[in-house]
Amino acid sequence: MSAPPVPPPPAPAADAAAPQTREDLLKILDRETAVARATNGRLAVLLVELRRVDRLQALLRGPAPAVTMSLVLDRLRKALREEDRMAAISDEQACVILPRIAHPSQATLAAVKILRVLDRPIAHEGGSAVLRPCVGIATLPEHGFDPAELLMAADVSRHIAATREEGYHVYQGDEAVEAEVYHGLDLELERALRANELEVHYQPIIEVATGLPAAVEALVRWRHPKAGEIPPRTIVGIAERTGLIGSLTYWILNSALRQASQWRAERIAPRLAINLSVSTLTDHELPAVVDQGIRTWGMDPARISLEIAESSMIADAERSVAILTRLKAIGVRLSIDDFGSGFSSLSHFKRFPIDEIKIDCPFVQGLVGDKGDRAVVASAIDLAHHFGLSVVAEGVERDETRAALRSLGCELAQGNLFSPPLTAAQLREWWMAHAPLA
Ligand code: C2E
Ligand code: CA
Ligand code: CA
């Protein structure tokens, strides 16, 4: 006969002032789940995602992401019980453990409190960050018994919370189906890459002043035989999680360069923009891969730009600067993607060898009608020009927006007003109809 389970010793008294590290938190979660299992108790895991800042002040003078996170943890600590534990998982995510709760509704209550305390801007040294946080919730015993199950359920809930008005979501269980599909996709991406099931589409970028086409952005597409169209951010997410990001990047880069060289033979010669994801920025082989691709397809590096999201550059600035400097030496242009969506101001980028910024869709779409967005876009354009950078506005859908961009001196624009992303064959037709022959 096996011995009855012996509950581990209770956690030591909370040290409310000391921030926990991620590793500490995982240990605490291990211990607290064991206690809960042994005592038929309850516990909740909350994943808090900070999400984007907006508005002029935050854009220009907002605190660095790590500072914002530590100020967020201070607020959470004040809002929660003394025995609750929390730690930053990244600059944008925190995990909170609520041990020994009496009822699952206590977890929802805690989420509401968290959202309330994060409702005010996070101020630091005269700048401030405005957050739109969301919280994913999972509880023991309802959604799992061990840390991995609970974290996974809270993570699935966090994704759903991001789409909900109330800003939080309690795991329902049927999302497990969704998680299952995604797990299946993990395994299939490698096969899809080998089977050439992925495709690259191209979206035109036009010159605002003349209306003439200037460039195309390569955007990856995957039509899965069962799951249908998989969003590109999901593809990249899977690739990063499963270690396939290097192969994916290599595949996209070569597909796009091969296509560009074919177009050139057909006398159309758009500049080509290619997206790089976060983790490739720490890959020392990236510059060599880019260099080799460009040589293989006989492209002019000055006609290639690499787009890197604002947040990923800042996340590991030292390493990013090193890799970007090597990329720059190849002769390619470098572009800050999704500018405005992160926590940074342009002055953060002074030491990055950057040529261009791309202003994120929501700001561009608010340009006509929202004074705050207009101020953000106008000052981003001014500052960019001050630093000698050119500006692309993304997500242009209306003619009024194009006119406003023109009056603000924005050089380039991209969006459904001009054309959605097209297959290579469609792009060729579009380009021939809109651009003079090269
Ligand atoms: P992104 O780099 O900001 O790409 C622009 C996104 O905005 C594209 O979405 C494009 O279809 C969409 N867009 C363009 N014009 C409009 C418009 O007028 N209105 C609206 N509402 N949207 C517009 P898409 O293709 O779904 O890509 C989403 C994101 O996925 C990209 O954002 C990029 O971060 C990532 N991604 C896409 N392809 C690749 C790739 O090949 N490699 C990497 N690393 N990431 C990629
Ligand atoms: Ca992009
Ligand atoms: Ca973008």
Side-chain angles (χ1 to χ4, degrees):
M1 220 176 85
S2 62
V6 180
D15 180 1
Q20 239 99 45
T21 66
R22 182 194 160 103
E23 286 68 32
D24 290 340
L25 192 87
L26 290 175
K27 274 187 211 145
I28 293 170
L29 185 58
D30 245 348
R31 189 172 60 216
E32 291 293 348
T33 49
V35 171
R37 284 192 303 266
T39 57
N40 286 329
R42 294 179 174 282
L43 163 153
V45 176
L46 274 54
L47 281 177
V48 183
E49 184 168 3
L50 303 189
R51 295 203 293 169
R52 54 182 301 140
V53 199
D54 55 6
R55 301 296 169 241
L56 186 62
Q57 220 195 359
L59 179 62
L60 301 180
R61 297 191 285 138
V67 172
T68 302
M69 176 50 89
S70 78
L71 297 173
V72 161
L73 290 177
D74 285 346
R75 283 200 194 169
L76 296 189
R77 221 165 280 126
K78 285 182 195 134
L80 297 171
R81 305 171 305 171
E82 206 172 299
E83 63 263 48
D84 300 336
R85 297 308 190 86
M86 60 213 68
I89 294 187
S90 68
D91 284 345
E92 279 164 17
Q93 266 188 47
C95 180
V96 177
I97 301 173
L98 311 176
R100 282 153 283 169
I101 54 173
H103 190 267
S105 62
Q106 236 177 299
T108 313
L109 222 59
V112 171
K113 262 192 180 171
I114 288 173
L115 291 169
R116 202 176 300 143
V117 295
L118 298 184
D119 205 26
R120 285 171 290 123
I122 308 280
H124 180 67
E125 291 182 351
S128 74
V130 181
L131 307 176
R132 285 191 212 135
C134 62
V135 184
I137 305 170
T139 55
L140 180 154
E142 288 78 12
H143 310 130
F145 288 92
D146 68 60
E149 278 174 321
L150 291 166
L151 284 169
M152 153 108 166
D155 196 39
V156 171
S157 308
R158 176 182 60 82
H159 283 289
I160 294 166
T163 67
R164 296 290 151 87
E165 183 75 21
E166 59 274 21
Y168 64 85
H169 181 77
V170 183
Y171 192 67
Q172 299 295 314
D174 44 357
E175 301 96 331
V177 177
E178 202 176 315
E180 193 61 36
V181 171
Y182 277 72
H183 180 65
L185 290 180
D186 277 9
L187 303 176
E188 282 201 43
L189 180 59
E190 186 165 17
R191 179 194 59 73
L193 262 175
R194 274 189 275 113
N196 258 327
E197 210 173 281
L198 272 59
E199 243 185 84
V200 181
H201 286 195
Y202 300 88
Q203 185 173 37
I205 299 175
I206 64 109
E207 244 172 49
V208 176
T210 61
L212 289 174
V216 294
E217 176 176 0
L219 295 160
V220 68
R221 295 290 181 263
W222 180 15
R223 179 175 289 282
H224 187 272
K226 286 197 213 103
E229 193 80 45
I230 314 292
R233 286 190 207 275
T234 306
I235 305 173
V236 171
I238 294 172
E240 296 203 322
R241 234 186 8 250
T242 53
L244 286 174
I245 190 66
S247 317
L248 180 70
T249 306
Y250 182 82
W251 184 87
I252 294 168
L253 199 67
N254 272 285
S255 305
L257 289 169
R258 179 181 349 105
Q259 186 58 62
S261 98
Q262 187 180 328
W263 280 331
R264 202 184 35 192
E266 296 166 347
R267 301 189 56 214
I268 69 170
R271 288 204 286 119
L272 177 65
I274 298 172
N275 291 284
L276 293 182
S277 74
V278 195
S279 56
T280 47
L281 266 201
T282 51
D283 178 355
H284 291 289
E285 288 175 17
L286 180 72
V289 168
V290 170
D291 191 32
Q292 193 197 16
I294 288 175
R295 285 168 198 266
T296 304
W297 299 106
M299 297 296 295
D300 174 2
R303 297 187 63 77
I304 313 279
S305 27
L306 301 178
E307 300 189 358
I308 301 127
E310 172 187 355
S311 50
S312 53
M313 275 192 212
I314 294 295
D316 189 348
E318 290 310 315
R319 256 206 282 196
S320 305
V321 168
I323 303 252
L324 293 176
T325 306
R326 285 174 56 204
L327 286 170
K328 190 70 209 151
I330 297 169
V332 296
R333 290 166 58 82
L334 299 176
S335 201
I336 303 178
D337 206 351
D338 300 338
F339 187 77
S341 63
F343 298 77
S344 43
S345 81
L346 248 191
S347 58
H348 285 141
F349 293 101
K350 260 195 272 186
R351 61 208 185 98
F352 290 86
I354 294 300
D355 302 284
E356 179 182 87
I357 63 169
K358 295 190 80 172
I359 303 178
D360 206 10
C361 294
F363 298 105
V364 174
Q365 285 164 359
L367 182 55
V368 180
D370 184 312
K371 277 196 186 135
D373 287 343
R374 190 181 168 92
V376 170
V377 174
S379 64
I381 293 173
D382 272 357
L383 266 171
H385 290 167
H386 175 77
F387 287 114
L389 311 177
S390 61
V391 183
V392 186
E394 293 185 311
V396 178
E397 293 179 351
R398 298 161 54 191
D399 217 23
E400 298 91 306
T401 311
R402 186 220 323 234
L405 288 167
R406 194 175 175 158
S407 72
L408 291 173
C410 177
E411 288 89 353
L412 296 160
Q414 175 179 2
N416 295 344
L417 175 66
F418 314 108
S419 167
L422 303 170
T423 64
Q426 289 168 334
L427 188 280
R428 180 170 171 274
E429 296 305 309
W430 187 96
W431 198 272
M432 303 231 271
H434 290 83
L437 277 182

